[in-house]
């Protein structure tokens, strides 16, 4: 069984973003810290658990992006992935979900993956597209919002539960190969084992130039970046911390929300 | 942008999702006065569903029918919709709600018909679509560079429009043919984690990842004990980490609540969380980040570190008594 996990590197906190007005772009400020998209941590953990259950599976971790994303691939190796693949772009140019799905498909074709795991969405922009688009490009089946999976004994199909509104679950089974977009809470991601950390330090990442892969012309273009539609509607309570506390207590008592 | 506009109406258990009527408003915002409603189901249910749509919206309806559409799967939807749209020429816009099912099939549908796909759309410009970026701090105005576009529209972004002033629209039922699927749907399981205490509470003190650790749950517990009919809520992030169990989760995949007071502590205000609490009477948020999205829905905002502010608040409240 060969499993591919798509891992995206995201910034840790949106507080470090800077809006470059002249260029009309959002850029990363100097204090930006990057890490693995949390949904991808769950996807990777699920892949590692499948490998442990089967005994003889291989887990590859792949990320598309500039050189900085190498660190996130290495993190996947520290957690236990067997092999890291870096589809390298030159700079911080923004790739759409369409581009990224085509790049991942081109890089993974011919490698015989039985199962591809992605996160249900990237925390930064929540497009939720890369997993299902990748499935469509590869001609694989796909389920999103996966909160439970169980491979059949013969390894030909996989039973999954998709989490939907209100926490209900839709139960499906899919033929392999397929793509699953994983929802958080499916498992509890592990901490890296020391032996894996040491191995990851010296492991070679397989590097593929994004420009060497064929991607169809873009489907969309960015017209402009705008501020949020709705400004702050309420009131920000000002003063020292103690004054803020007193003001809030006063407001809550006035609305008889807090007993006097 | 002219051309044809289709709305895919999603339904479960014989009922349309409420977002369906919001999509009608969205279509009009995009300049399409008379979008075509579409519904997919098995032969037994299609007539009734299609007629309900025609009555409620006054718009023309296309019902796509096949035995493979008895239960939902992305594959069933895509294999039905792709042949319908693939060879159509001219400009076509297709809208579905940004729900668990909408985002399940929309990207794959777009790939099958060489369309552009734009998800979580919350507004439309002149032939463009607008969506949030970077935790709601910015918005992007995006233009489609294909004749066909598939968009998913954020629930709640548009007011519903389901009161048809005139006559019902025309209904056309199209058999989708025999399609055998490789995905098998095995039904739905009810949520395991409903929490009646939350829906009855007058005050909900809710914890987010900003708590920093499971140990700090004691801070929100302490705060909530100041209020008589109160309960503890949480974001999914808090439940995922095991700081509170999932019965406390509020949001699109958790509980929906509307208490008189919602106190959000260390919560960023992701759309999926807001979906479960935005109708609360009064929303108060405590967050260190003055630009957090939660402050855009809060009636009162306090920019402070909750680890020091909550003890101070509790202390001053008790001292005054
Ligand atoms: C035309 C256009 C222009 C844009 N311009 C800007 C801009 O100027 N500035 C700006 O800041 N943003 C811009 N963006 C937004 C930026 O590209 C977003 O990061 C991205 O489009 C959002 O998709 P997502 O990462 O949320 O993917 P999702 O589809 O939500 O990701 C889901 C899953 O796919 C997998 N995945 C996603 N990406 C990767 C990857 N790189 N490698 C491996 N796996 C991956 C992961 O498993 C992830 O969990 C632009 C977007 C578009 C479409
Ligand atoms: C399909 C789907 C369904 C989902 N359903 C739900 C759902 O039902 N409910 C839900 O909640 N989420 C849901 N989510 C997840 C959602 O997108 C967010 O990831 C989640 O709500 C974030 O939780 P948070 O606000 O606690 O964490 P974060 O977004 O990490 O925010 C933490 C906040 O705490 C602040 N903070 C940090 N330190 C402090 C401090 N010391 N004092 C004060 N403030 C501090 C930070 O500034 C930040 O704003 C869903 C996601 C998907 C993909």
């Amino acid at each position: 069984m060969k499993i591919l996990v798509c891992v995206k590197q995201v910034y840790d906190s949106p507080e470090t973003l800077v809006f470059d007005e002249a260029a009309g772009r959002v850029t990363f400020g100097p204090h930006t810290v990057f890490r693995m998209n949390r949904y991808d941590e769950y996807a990777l953990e699920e892949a590692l658990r499948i490998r442990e259950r089967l005994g003889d599976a291989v887990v590859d971790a792949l990320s598309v992006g500039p050189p900085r994303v190498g660190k996130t691939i290495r993190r996947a190796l520290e957690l236990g992935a067997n092999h890291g693949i870096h589809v390298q772009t030159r700079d911080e140019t923004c790739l759409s979900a369409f581009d990224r799905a085509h790049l991942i498909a081109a890089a993974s074709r011919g490698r015989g993956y039985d199962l591809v795991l992605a996160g249900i969405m990237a925390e930064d922009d929540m497009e939720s597209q890369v997993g299902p688009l990748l499935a469509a490009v590869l001609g694989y089946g796909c389920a999103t919002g996966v909160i439970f999976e169980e491979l059949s004994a013969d390894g030909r199909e996989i039973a999954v539960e998709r989490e939907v509104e209100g926490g209900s679950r839709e139960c499906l089974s899919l033929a392999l190969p397929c793509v699953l977009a994983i929802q958080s809470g499916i498992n509890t991601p592990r901490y890296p084992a020391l032996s894996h950390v040491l191995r990851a330090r010296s492991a070679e990442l397989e590097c593929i130039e994004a420009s060497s892969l064929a991607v169809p012309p873009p489907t969309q273009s960015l017209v402009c970046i705008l501020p949020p539609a709705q400004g702050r509607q309420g009131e920000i309570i000002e003063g020292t911390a103690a004054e803020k506390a007193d003001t809030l207590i006063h407001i809550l008592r006035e609305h008889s929300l807090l007993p006097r | 942008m002219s051309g044809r506009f289709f709305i895919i109406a999603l339904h479960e258990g014989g009922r349309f999702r409420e977002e369906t009527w919001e999509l009608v408003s969205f279509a009009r915002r995009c300049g399409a006065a008379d979008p075509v409603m579409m519904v997919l189901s098995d032969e037994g249910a299609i007539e009734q569903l299609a007629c309900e749509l025609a009555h409620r919206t006054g718009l023309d309806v296309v019902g796509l029918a096949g035995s493979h559409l008895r239960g939902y799967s992305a594959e069933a939807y895509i294999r039905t919709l792709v042949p319908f749209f693939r060879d159509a020429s001219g400009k076509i816009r297709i809208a579905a709600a940004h729900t668990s099912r909408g985002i399940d099939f929309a990207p794959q549908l777009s790939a099958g018909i060489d369309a552009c796909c734009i998800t979580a759309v919350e507004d439309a410009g002149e032939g463009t679509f607008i969506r949030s970026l970077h935790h709601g701090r910015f918005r992007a105005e995006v233009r489609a560079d294909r004749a066909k576009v598939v968009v998913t529209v954020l629930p709640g972004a548009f007011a519903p429009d389901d009161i048809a002033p005139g006559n019902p629209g025309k209904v056309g039922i199209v058999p989708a043919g025999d399609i055998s699927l490789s995905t098998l749907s095995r039904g739905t399981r009810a949520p395991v984690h409903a929490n009646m205490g939350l829906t009855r509470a007058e005050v909900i003190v809710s914890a987010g990842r900003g708590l920093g650790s499971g140990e700090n749950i004691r801070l929100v517990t302490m705060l909530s004990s100041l209020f008589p009919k109160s309960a503890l809520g949480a974001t999914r992030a808090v439940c995922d980490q095991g700081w509170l169990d999932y019965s406390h989760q509020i949001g699109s995949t958790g509980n929906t609540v509307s208490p008189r007071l919602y106190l959000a502590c260390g919560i960023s205000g992701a759309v999926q969380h807001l979906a479960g609490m935005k109708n609360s009477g009064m929303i108060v948020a405590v967050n260190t980040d003055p630009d957090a999205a939660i402050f855009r829905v809060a009636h009162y905002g306090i920019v402070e570190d909750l680890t020091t502010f909550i003890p101070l608040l509790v202390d001053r409240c008790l001292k005054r008594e």
Side-chain angles (χ1 to χ4, degrees), chain A residues 125 127 144 162-163 165-166 169-171 173 184 217 219 221 223-224 226-227 230 235 237 244 246, chain B residues 100-101 104 119 131 134 139 141 143 145-146 184 186-187 189 236 240 252 290 296 299 301 304 316:
Chain A
D125 287 318
E127 287 206 57
T144 61
R162 305 179 54 236
E163 195 184 34
E165 283 70 20
R169 293 168 175 209
E170 287 178 355
C171 311
S173 62
S184 67
T219 55
S221 35
V223 179
C224 62
L226 305 162
Q230 186 188 34
E235 182 190 321
I237 299 175
K244 292 177 190 173
D246 290 345
Chain B
S100 57
R101 284 186 183 175
D104 195 43
T119 53
R131 72 186 303 285
H134 306 305
R139 290 179 305 153
E141 185 168 351
R143 189 184 54 236
D145 295 329
R146 294 282 195 278
L184 200 69
R186 300 179 187 273
R189 284 213 295 127
R236 186 174 183 106
D240 284 341
S252 60
R296 289 200 289 276
H299 300 94
E304 285 289 340
R316 295 192 78 92

Side-chain angles (χ1 to χ4, degrees), chain A residues 252 257, chain B residues 202-204 227 259-263 280-284:
Chain A
L252 296 180
L257 288 162
Chain B
E202 285 192 1
V203 175
I204 293 177
F227 304 93
R260 286 180 61 211
L261 172 65
Y262 192 89
L263 250 162
S280 303
M282 183 194 285
I283 300 170
V284 176

Side-chain angles (χ1 to χ4, degrees), chain A residues 92-108:
Chain A
E92 296 288 343
T93 316
C94 214
L95 296 172
S96 69
F98 179 86
D99 295 333
R100 281 173 287 146
H102 276 278
L103 287 172
I104 297 172
S108 61

Side-chain angles (χ1 to χ4, degrees), chain A residues 6-8 24-26 37 39-40 62-65 94-97 100 104 117-122 124-131 220-222 225, chain B residues 133-134 142:
Chain A
C6 304
V7 293
K8 184 182 181 184
R25 289 196 309 144
V26 179
N37 181 36
Y39 296 94
D40 304 348
L62 179 153
S63 192
V64 180
C94 214
L95 296 172
S96 69
R100 281 173 287 146
I104 297 172
L117 303 187
I120 182 173
M121 67 177 195
D124 48 5
D125 287 318
M126 316 206 298
E127 287 206 57
S128 297
Q129 289 205 43
V130 171
Q220 53 185 266
S221 35
L222 182 70
I225 300 275
Chain B
L133 285 182
H134 306 305
V142 181

Side-chain angles (χ1 to χ4, degrees), chain B residues 12-317:
Chain B
E12 285 141 47
R15 291 173 52 130
F16 287 104
R17 284 199 62 88
E18 289 303 312
E19 294 88 3
T20 306
W21 325 119
E22 301 173 5
L23 292 170
V24 177
S25 305
F26 170 71
R28 302 214 161 116
R29 170 85 180 152
C30 295
D34 296 307
V36 175
M37 304 299 293
M38 273 191 118
V39 55
L40 286 70
S41 188
D42 63 294
E43 290 90 349
I46 195 74
E47 283 278 348
Q48 201 184 335
L49 286 167
C51 289
E52 183 184 342
L53 273 184
H55 271 92
R56 285 181 77 165
T57 62
L59 297 166
D60 290 352
V61 179
V62 173
L64 292 170
S67 52
H68 62 288
L69 291 162
R70 189 155 296 134
Y72 168 82
S73 71
E75 190 194 359
Y77 265 53
I78 296 152
R79 302 237 344 244
T80 311
L81 290 166
V82 167
F84 186 88
F85 286 113
R86 192 177 34 214
D87 304 321
S89 57
K91 279 202 188 298
I92 291 182
R93 288 167 290 177
I94 304 167
H98 190 78
T99 57
S100 57
R101 284 186 183 175
I103 57 171
D104 195 43
F105 74 81
Q108 295 180 81
L109 168 61
S110 76
I113 61 174
D114 189 27
C116 161
C117 184
I118 306 171
T119 53
V121 166
E122 49 188 48
D123 204 354
E126 289 290 322
T128 58
F129 301 98
I130 296 169
R131 72 186 303 285
S132 279
L133 285 182
H134 306 305
H135 301 256
R137 273 165 208 248
F138 304 97
R139 290 179 305 153
E141 185 168 351
V142 181
R143 189 184 54 236
D145 295 329
R146 294 282 195 278
K148 295 174 190 144
V149 195
V150 180
V151 298
T152 61
V153 180
L154 215 56
F158 291 85
D161 181 352
D162 64 333
I163 303 149
N167 297 322
K170 288 198 293 286
V171 171
I173 306 288
V174 183
D178 275 335
I179 294 175
S180 65
L181 303 174
S182 64
T183 311
L184 200 69
S185 32
R186 300 179 187 273
T188 303
R189 284 213 295 127
V192 249
H193 301 293
N195 183 338
M196 296 315 290
L198 269 180
T199 43
R200 277 198 296 264
E202 285 192 1
V203 175
I204 293 177
V205 178
S206 206
R209 185 159 19 226
L211 243 60
S213 72
E215 204 183 289
N216 281 340
I217 287 293
R218 70 185 164 80
L219 295 176
V220 281
T221 312
M222 195 160 80
L223 181 54
S224 118
S225 65
L226 295 177
F227 304 93
K229 286 180 195 155
S230 64
L232 277 191
T235 62
R236 186 174 183 106
V238 163
C239 303
D240 284 341
Q241 293 183 86
W243 298 349
L244 281 173
D245 73 62
Y246 285 97
S247 64
H248 294 274
Q249 187 191 321
I250 290 167
S252 60
T253 50
N255 295 278
T256 299
V257 296
S258 47
R260 286 180 61 211
L261 172 65
Y262 192 89
L263 250 162
C265 308
I267 294 177
S268 62
V271 284
Q272 295 87 355
H273 186 73
L274 300 184
M277 47 64 75
K278 63 181 174 212
N279 294 325
S280 303
M282 183 194 285
I283 300 170
V284 176
V286 182
N287 196 306
T288 40
D289 174 6
D291 295 318
I294 191 76
F295 287 132
R296 289 200 289 276
V297 298
H299 300 94
Y300 296 98
I302 292 173
V303 181
E304 285 289 340
D305 183 330
L306 63 82
T307 55
T308 52
F309 186 73
I310 294 179
L312 178 73
L313 179 66
V314 173
D315 195 44
R316 295 192 78 92
C317 195

Side-chain angles (χ1 to χ4, degrees), chain A residues 11-217:
Chain A
Y11 49 78
D12 185 43
S13 159
E15 289 176 77
T16 55
L17 296 174
V18 185
F19 183 49
D20 176 350
E21 243 164 288
R25 289 196 309 144
V26 179
T27 55
F28 303 119
H31 304 295
T32 306
V33 174
F34 294 98
R35 59 166 168 82
M36 191 185 294
N37 181 36
R38 290 200 179 92
Y39 296 94
D40 304 348
E41 292 177 355
Y42 289 96
L44 176 60
E45 177 64 32
E46 202 59 22
L48 298 175
R49 290 185 186 201
I50 294 172
R51 187 181 67 191
E52 282 157 12
R53 264 185 263 146
L54 296 179
D56 64 344
V58 173
V59 174
D60 289 358
L62 179 153
S63 192
V64 180
R68 64 174 162 80
V69 313
K71 223 176 139 196
T72 292
I73 304 171
R74 240 171 246 289
R75 174 76 187 166
L77 296 178
E78 288 177 5
L79 287 162
N82 299 88
H83 178 61
I85 305 169
H86 184 176
V87 177
Q88 195 163 345
T89 56
R90 281 181 189 267
D91 49 28
E92 296 288 343
T93 316
C94 214
L95 296 172
S96 69
F98 179 86
D99 295 333
R100 281 173 287 146
H102 276 278
L103 287 172
I104 297 172
S108 61
R109 225 175 252 128
R111 292 180 191 248
Y113 292 116
D114 304 286
L115 199 56
V116 179
L117 303 187
I120 182 173
M121 67 177 195
E123 289 171 83
D124 48 5
D125 287 318
M126 316 206 298
E127 287 206 57
S128 297
Q129 289 205 43
V130 171
L133 278 180
L134 175 61
V137 178
L138 291 172
Y140 288 9
C142 180
T144 61
V146 172
I147 191 81
F148 172 83
E149 57 71 26
E150 188 171 25
L151 266 173
S152 66
D154 64 3
R156 291 213 186 142
E157 54 172 41
I158 190 161
V160 303
E161 293 182 6
R162 305 179 54 236
E163 195 184 34
V164 300
E165 283 70 20
S168 308
R169 293 168 175 209
E170 287 178 355
C171 311
L172 307 167
S173 62
L174 284 92
L176 261 49
C178 66
V179 177
L180 305 181
I182 302 291
Q183 170 64 301
S184 67
I186 186 174
N187 53 40
T188 307
R190 69 192 63 194
Y191 289 98
L194 184 62
S195 59
H196 286 147
V197 173
L198 295 176
R199 188 180 60 87
R201 220 172 269 165
S202 56
E204 287 274 334
L205 301 185
E206 180 183 346
C207 203
I208 303 171
E209 281 297 325
S211 55
S212 71
L213 302 171
V215 172

